[in-house]
Structure formats: structure tokens, C-alpha cells
Amino acid sequence: MAELSIIIPIREGGNPEVTLRSLERQTYRDFDIICSWDHGRGANHARNAGFRLTNTPFVLFSDDDIDWHPDALQRLVSTLKANPKASYSYGAYTMGGRVYCDRPFDAARLKRGNYISTMSVIRTEHFPGFDESIQRLQDYDVWLAMLAAGHVGVYCGAEIFTTKVRNGITYAPDSQTYEQAFEILRRKYGI
């Protein structure tokens, strides 16, 4: 049995080639890959369907256009193992020449806004599932649900991937605005 399951949600017409090639170059090798098609039901459906197939202690959700640095998985898994009180580990990434998610975990800051990528390694036993009724800020919803359950994250201290500016699998032209989605989460978690 592998230690880590990597779930790649794919929408109709999607192609995980970039992600799969970067996973081939990983220094950490104890993982399996689950490609999960959304069948028009959205990224959260695909992620949850893939998660139901896992039986590993750790899980990672990776979009299908992520170019992982060769040491990314090693950094994420070793950081999580070295911090037994943490439920997930995350790292920074570059998109469009700008760096994101490059700060240490801070629960108070997280309640004010998301700074943690979906592409994080999570302890399987602590994963609450993606809320399939939420159209935007799905990752933020997961981190807030975990925080409400007493689960915290840890920053691995490094950039772990790059990606192009794009309309990813969670984008839909008729989806909620950022402000609408944030208001839904604000009410849901009382933040």
C-alpha cells in the first residue's frame, strides 16, 4: 500500500499531462494516482469520488495543470510527519510571475481570508470532504471546516509548484463571485 494518494480531478476536455509528467520526476515515490472525471458535476464531485477510492494515510488533491517541483511531495510529506499536531502541510506556488501561499500557518489570519492552496497534503483521517454545493472557494471551505474541528496546517517553507494563469476546474462562467462565495463561508463558519 502506498503512503500517499494523489487525486487529480479532470473536467470534460481536460488533460492531466503536465501534472503527470511532473509527478514522474518526484524524488518521493510512495504514492498512487487517481484520475477522477467530473462528468459535468464539478471539481468537488470529482475530488470526493476520487477520495472514496483512497486507503492511504495521506491524500493530495492536485489540479490537472500543476507543474510540481521535483522535491515537492518529499517536502510536503516530511513536513507533515515532522509536525504530528498538524493535519495538513502546504507550500507556496508561482502563477503568472507572482508567488502565493508563502506564509506560516495562522488561524486568525485564515479566518480573514484564504492563503492555503488546494494542493496540500492532508491526513486522510482528518479530511472533511469537499462541500459539493459550494461553487467557489472550495479549498477555503475545507480549511475552515478543518479549523472548526481543531485541525491546523503547517507551511513547508518552500515553493512547491508553478501553474499558468487559467480558468481551472473550479471555474464556471455562471459561478458565484468571490464576494458571494466569501459571504456564504462567513455565514457558514461565523467569521
Side-chain angles (χ1 to χ4, degrees), residues 22-37:
S22 66
L23 290 174
E24 287 176 358
R25 298 188 305 264
Q26 292 300 301
T27 57
Y28 174 88
R29 303 297 312 158
D30 195 9
F31 63 87
D32 56 32
I33 298 171
I34 300 168
C35 290
S36 183
W37 294 90

Side-chain angles (χ1 to χ4, degrees), residues 7-80:
I7 299 168
I8 305 173
I10 308 169
R11 68 178 168 199
E12 188 69 33
N15 183 343
E17 184 176 342
V18 170
T19 298
L20 293 173
R21 282 189 180 168
S22 66
L23 290 174
E24 287 176 358
R25 298 188 305 264
Q26 292 300 301
T27 57
Y28 174 88
R29 303 297 312 158
D30 195 9
F31 63 87
D32 56 32
I33 298 171
I34 300 168
C35 290
S36 183
W37 294 90
D38 78 343
H39 300 292
R41 296 176 66 186
N44 287 348
H45 170 77
R47 291 174 181 132
N48 287 336
F51 181 75
R52 287 191 289 275
L53 301 175
T54 65
N55 62 354
T56 56
F58 305 116
V59 63
L60 167 68
F61 297 92
S62 175
D63 289 353
D64 67 0
D65 56 357
I66 301 301
D67 189 0
W68 292 96
H69 295 340
D71 62 348
L73 300 184
Q74 184 65 56
R75 284 182 180 276
L76 291 170
V77 172
S78 61
T79 297
L80 193 51

Side-chain angles (χ1 to χ4, degrees), residues 80-174:
L80 193 51
K81 286 181 174 181
N83 292 273
K85 292 183 179 180
S87 294
Y88 58 94
S89 62
Y90 63 95
Y93 67 95
T94 298
M95 180 172 67
R98 184 172 168 204
V99 177
Y100 297 86
C101 301
D102 61 342
R103 57 187 61 178
F105 183 83
D106 179 333
R109 170 85 174 80
L110 186 60
K111 289 178 182 178
R112 293 191 306 271
N114 191 23
Y115 59 90
I116 299 169
S117 165
T118 304
M119 277 55 75
S120 302
V121 170
I122 305 169
R123 293 186 194 278
T124 302
E125 64 184 325
H126 296 165
F127 175 62
F130 283 93
D131 183 339
E132 294 185 28
S133 72
I134 293 178
Q135 298 175 7
R136 194 163 182 182
L137 300 180
Q138 297 97 325
D139 52 355
Y140 190 30
D141 179 63
V142 167
W143 310 136
L144 290 174
M146 292 181 76
L147 187 61
H151 302 307
V152 299
V154 61
Y155 176 51
C156 77
E159 182 179 301
I160 55 172
F161 68 87
T162 61
T163 189
K164 295 179 181 177
V165 176
R166 81 279 195 231
N167 291 330
I169 190 166
T170 59
Y171 173 80
D174 59 345

